[in-house]
Amino acid sequence: VPAAAVAGFLVTPSRRILAHGVGAAISGIVGGIGKSRLDAETLLAVKPALAQLLLDHYSSEKQNVADVADLVKQLQQDYHVEDDEFMDICTDVYKAYLVAMVKQPYTKTADISDLAALKKVLGLDNIAVGEAHAQAAQQVYRETMTFTPG
């Protein structure tokens, strides 16, 4: 944003300092809008990239939790996502896995250990896991209670 403002100041054709200032302000605003849009697009791209990373590299049978956790941290760094935002994204991925698991007609005893391993891979704390469970419960309840067979 500061670079865009400086460029606007220098590129604005005028001998008056006020015109240069207006050019700098407009360029700064446009640069800020462009940066925020780019940040939003980056955040939208992180969740599918994280899901694909988990599909490609994570398997609860392989017990490769530490290796995949490192890849998850690297993904966060590659996309330049703040810790809080990345925690929210990881919580959403955990919640999606939990909802899919609950919708399966047969549960396995390994499901609990799978969730614990996924928690470690995603680097979630207990509060984030609790929020994911609460959100998943609300979603499953809402879907179950609003479903009326015809």
Side-chain angles (χ1 to χ4, degrees):
V1 177
V6 169
F9 182 84
L10 295 175
V11 175
T12 304
S14 179
R15 285 184 268 173
R16 295 188 177 157
I17 196 77
L18 180 61
H20 286 287
V22 170
I26 291 171
S27 296
I29 291 169
V30 170
I33 291 170
K35 183 178 181 332
S36 72
R37 183 162 291 167
L38 182 62
D39 289 345
E41 291 298 321
T42 299
L43 285 178
L44 289 175
V46 173
K47 193 184 295 186
L50 177 59
Q52 188 63 50
L53 183 144
L54 292 173
L55 286 172
D56 292 345
H57 299 284
Y58 176 68
S59 170
S60 58
E61 291 88 31
K62 291 183 185 177
Q63 298 299 324
N64 59 348
V65 172
D67 296 335
V68 180
D70 290 340
L71 291 173
V72 168
K73 289 177 189 172
Q74 184 61 47
L75 181 80
Q76 178 186 3
Q77 292 173 356
D78 291 347
Y79 280 84
H80 306 290
V81 180
E82 298 292 325
D83 289 341
D84 292 342
E85 293 170 331
F86 197 71
M87 181 73 71
D88 290 342
I89 291 166
C90 289
T91 302
D92 285 345
V93 169
Y94 182 94
K95 179 187 81 169
Y97 182 85
L98 179 61
V99 168
M101 188 180 76
V102 167
K103 288 182 178 181
Q104 295 299 315
Y106 303 106
T107 56
K108 305 176 292 185
T109 55
D111 288 346
I112 300 298
S113 60
D114 287 349
L115 285 173
L118 185 60
K119 172 189 171 192
K120 289 179 185 174
V121 164
L122 295 174
L124 297 174
D125 59 19
N126 291 334
I127 293 174
V129 170
E131 288 176 10
H133 280 260
Q135 291 170 5
Q138 289 174 343
Q139 181 178 338
V140 169
Y141 179 79
R142 186 173 36 251
E143 292 171 3
T144 303
M145 296 311 291
T146 58
F147 176 74
T148 53

